[in-house]
Amino acid sequence: MTAAAVLFTEPGARWRTVAYGPILCLTIVILELVTGGAVHWFALVFCAALIAGFVALQVVAGKRHVSVELTAQTLRSGTESLPLSSIAEVLPERDEDSWDDEEWESARALGELSGVPRRRTGIGLRLADGGLAQAWARDHKALRTALTEAVQRSSDGVDR
């Protein structure tokens, strides 16, 4: 069985961020060597390891809980996967000029988090059972476009 083509993806977090703390500590070591002052080897190595460890935990959590992947069959938001066949419609964007909230804005967010993750924007979905839900992404416009096309193809029976 071949893997489904990925139509949209957001990793949630990147492993390169783990290196930022150790690079900063290495920069401090170099500065201490160049200026001729005392080099604080133990403290800087300890801080580099501590920062890298904490950031690694955050990256693992980010990849697990705030990553998004859309294929021709499923939408995965965090740890929750939703078959496209269970999505009836991708709802229009929120009207920024309206005083009223859209009905879907109070719907549950996909994934196991209590709401749409920080720095992500919700996308309203009408489910096949009549309920509402929110997909979400940092690049919500690209996800909305890809999701609308994928749901349309799925409902037309092209990818089944």
Side-chain angles (χ1 to χ4, degrees):
M1 175 183 249
T2 60
V6 175
L7 306 174
F8 177 87
T9 187
E10 281 186 354
R14 298 189 191 281
W15 282 108
R16 68 177 178 228
T17 58
V18 174
Y20 295 162
I23 288 171
L24 177 63
C25 291
L26 178 63
T27 304
I28 294 170
V29 165
I30 292 170
L31 282 172
E32 287 182 345
L33 287 171
V34 169
T35 60
V39 180
H40 300 91
W41 293 106
F42 177 77
L44 290 169
V45 169
F46 179 77
C47 286
L50 192 66
I51 292 169
F54 281 124
V55 174
L57 289 174
Q58 290 177 322
V59 169
V60 168
K63 287 190 163 294
R64 182 173 297 145
H65 299 291
V66 293
S67 62
V68 178
E69 184 177 87
L70 174 66
T71 66
Q73 290 81 30
T74 61
L75 169 64
R76 183 185 54 75
S77 296
T79 59
E80 182 177 354
S81 291
L82 184 67
L84 292 186
S85 59
S86 66
I87 301 174
E89 176 186 11
V90 178
L91 299 172
E93 284 190 64
R94 180 186 197 290
D95 181 8
E96 294 299 326
D97 296 329
S98 174
W99 287 81
D100 299 324
D101 289 338
E102 299 291 336
E103 185 181 6
W104 60 263
E105 289 182 286
S106 60
R108 82 169 186 88
L110 296 177
E112 71 288 344
L113 301 176
S114 61
V116 174
R118 286 182 12 183
R119 295 188 294 275
R120 277 40 177 202
T121 301
I123 299 169
L125 302 176
R126 182 166 315 283
L127 303 177
D129 65 4
L132 296 173
Q134 287 187 71
W136 42 263
R138 189 176 292 242
D139 185 2
H140 62 97
K141 292 184 186 298
L143 177 59
R144 177 183 295 281
T145 301
L147 186 57
T148 301
E149 292 170 4
V151 167
Q152 184 62 41
R153 280 194 306 270
S154 177
S155 67
D156 290 344
V158 173
D159 289 317
R160 289 188 183 181

